[in-house]
Amino acid sequence: MKTQPTKLTEAAVTPEAVYLNRRQYLKASALGLGAAAFSGASQAADDGQLSDPAPLWMKTQLNESTASPFSTNEALTPYEYVTGYNNFYEFGTDKSDPEKYGQGFEPHPWSVMVSGAAEKTGTFDLEDVLKGLSVEERIYRLRCVEAWSMVIPWLGVPLSSILARYRPLSRAKYVVFETVYRPEQMPGQRAFFNAIDYPYVEVLRIDEAMHPLTLMAVGVYGRSLPNQNGAPLRLVVPWKYGFKSIKSIQKISFVEQRPKTTWERANPREYGFFANVNPKVSHPRWSQAEERRLPGSLFSANRIPTKMFNGYANEVASLYQGLDLSVYY
Ligand code: MTE
C-alpha cells in the first residue's frame, strides 16, 4: 500500500518539534546515522511552514548557536508553557495575557540606548549590539518568586560580552535596564489601574552583570524570542527570582548609585533588590522552600524542593560572601 506523505500543519509543527528534531538530527549525524527518519518537521520548517519573524541577520546568528556547558540536563518545560504561561505585565497580569495581547508588538527594527559611566555611549541598532558575538544555547532553570519554575532552552550571549563593548568606567557600580515604553502596543501600560510603574526597571550590581552565567537572551527553543518572552532581547539571571530577568530591553545605563527597581518601588518588603532564590527566606505571604515545576497535572502539582541560588550556588555564592541574605533578600 502506498502511504501518503503527511502534510504537517503549522499548529502540529511547533518550534519545540523543530527544535527537538534538529537536536536529534545533530545527534544522529554525530553518530553517523541516517538523518532521513528525522526529516519530517525540519522539512516543514524548511518549507517555511514555521516562520520566524526575526530579520535574516538574527536568524543566521541564532542558527550558528553552540551548546553551553552551563546547561542543565533536566527535562525541558514544553514550548506551550514557556510561551503561554508568562509574566509580562505590560501585556496584562493574567498568565495567558502576554501571548494573547503581545501579538501586535513590533520588536524590529530595534535599538538600544546606552548611557552613563562608560567610554562609549549612544543609541545602537540591535544588529550592531550583537554583531560578531557567538550565540549559545543555555538550558537554565527559571524560578519565579511566585513559586513555580520551568526549564528553558534559551539562545543568547553572555551579558558581559555586550557590556564590554561600551567599556564601562571603574566608577560604574550598577547596571540599570529599562523595558521599552510603548503604550500603543502594550495594553498593560495604558491600563487605568497599574500594580507597577512603567517603564519596568531592573538593576544588577556590576559584578552580577559581568558574571558568566548572566545571559542576554535573544531566542528560545531554537528561534527568536516570541513577544511574550521579551522580544527582541531580555535578561536571564538564573540564580535570581524571575522578575530580575527584564524583558524587551531598550535602555542600558552604567551608574554609581543604586536606583530603585520597579518591584522595590511597588513593594520593598515583598520584593528585594537582590532577589536571590533562597528556600530559607520566605516571601511575607508564602514559603519559598518548594516550587511547582511546570507542567503539573490534574493529579500532581509536581512540587520539588527549591535549591539555594536556584541550584547555581557553586557558581555564585561567593558574590554574596559576608552578606546576611535574610536582610538583603
Ligand atoms: N519584564 C517586564 N518588562 N515586565 C514583566 O512583567 N515579569 C518578570 C520577568 N520580566 C516581567 C519582566 C517575571 S515576574 C518573570 S517570572 C519573568 O519575566 C517571566 O519570564 P517568562 O515569561 O519568559 O517565563
Side-chain angles (χ1 to χ4, degrees):
M1 203 172 67
K2 226 174 126 198
T3 51
Q4 289 289 322
T6 32
K7 183 86 183 144
L8 291 163
T9 61
E10 170 126 13
V13 188
T14 60
E16 181 180 13
V18 173
Y19 168 85
L20 295 172
N21 194 272
R22 181 163 168 260
R23 291 183 115 202
Q24 276 178 313
Y25 176 85
L26 292 175
K27 251 193 230 159
S29 8
L31 293 170
L33 303 172
F38 306 116
S39 66
S42 44
Q43 184 63 48
D46 291 346
D47 289 347
Q49 287 184 35
L50 185 77
S51 53
D52 184 338
L56 186 63
W57 64 263
M58 185 181 255
K59 284 194 276 202
T60 308
Q61 218 168 338
L62 295 179
N63 264 332
E64 289 164 358
S65 67
T66 54
S68 160
F70 287 127
S71 288
T72 170
N73 52 20
E74 286 155 89
L76 298 180
T77 301
Y79 183 82
E80 66 263 30
Y81 285 83
V82 173
T83 60
Y85 186 95
N86 300 99
N87 276 331
F88 199 168
Y89 277 26
E90 285 84 338
F91 294 118
T93 51
D94 281 356
K95 294 289 182 278
S96 57
D97 284 346
E99 184 182 22
K100 223 187 293 172
Y101 300 118
Q103 299 314 314
F105 182 73
E106 289 167 13
H108 300 286
W110 192 267
S111 55
V112 180
M113 210 185 287
V114 180
S115 64
E119 278 177 37
K120 193 173 157 190
T121 56
T123 300
F124 305 95
D125 285 343
L126 183 58
E127 185 173 0
D128 294 324
V129 172
L130 298 171
K131 193 167 270 168
L133 303 178
S134 25
V135 173
E136 294 173 30
E137 180 201 67
R138 293 199 184 178
I139 305 172
Y140 278 163
R141 294 173 287 275
L142 177 99
R143 169 62 157 84
C144 181
V145 72
E146 299 163 341
W148 52 264
S149 65
M150 300 194 194
V151 176
I152 304 179
W154 302 109
L155 292 164
V157 300
L159 176 65
S160 63
S161 65
I162 293 185
L163 298 186
R165 309 208 120 151
Y166 306 103
R167 299 186 296 278
L169 305 175
S170 58
R171 64 187 160 84
K173 298 287 184 275
Y174 297 92
V175 189
V176 186
F177 303 88
E178 214 177 280
T179 296
V180 70
Y181 184 69
R182 257 190 221 172
E184 68 286 4
Q185 290 180 10
M186 298 177 134
Q189 288 181 336
R190 51 173 202 265
F192 182 68
F193 172 78
N194 276 314
I196 55 173
D197 285 340
Y198 298 110
Y200 194 104
V201 172
E202 257 309 335
V203 184
L204 293 176
R205 246 171 32 187
I206 192 99
D207 58 342
E208 297 174 326
M210 292 298 189
H211 192 278
L213 281 179
T214 307
L215 190 73
M216 187 67 101
V218 289
V220 69
Y221 263 117
R223 54 153 289 170
S224 68
L225 286 173
N227 292 343
Q228 60 268 33
N229 294 91
L233 84 165
R234 60 89 56 87
L235 212 58
V236 179
V237 194
W239 71 95
K240 291 181 180 282
Y241 291 122
F243 66 85
K244 299 295 285 186
S245 293
I246 179 173
K247 296 176 170 182
S248 305
I249 296 167
Q250 203 183 37
K251 291 186 187 167
I252 298 177
S253 143
F254 298 96
V255 300
E256 292 174 60
Q257 306 287 335
R258 189 178 100 192
K260 282 212 161 66
T261 66
T262 291
W263 283 106
E264 267 185 296
R265 271 185 267 137
N267 196 337
R269 219 169 67 83
E270 300 198 352
Y271 309 104
F273 165 74
F274 285 96
N276 291 317
V277 175
N278 189 339
K280 288 179 278 191
V281 176
S282 297
H283 183 278
R285 290 181 282 138
W286 58 83
S287 160
Q288 296 289 25
E290 290 187 345
E291 64 205 51
R292 282 184 300 122
R293 172 64 54 86
L294 296 175
S297 70
L298 211 51
F299 309 103
S300 147
N302 203 14
R303 279 185 205 290
I304 57 172
T306 288
K307 292 191 179 138
M308 190 63 207
F309 296 112
N310 201 22
Y312 299 97
N314 286 342
E315 290 85 356
V316 302
S318 62
L319 294 176
Y320 309 102
Q321 231 159 33
L323 206 64
D324 182 344
L325 297 176
S326 61
V327 177
Y328 298 96
Y329 54 86

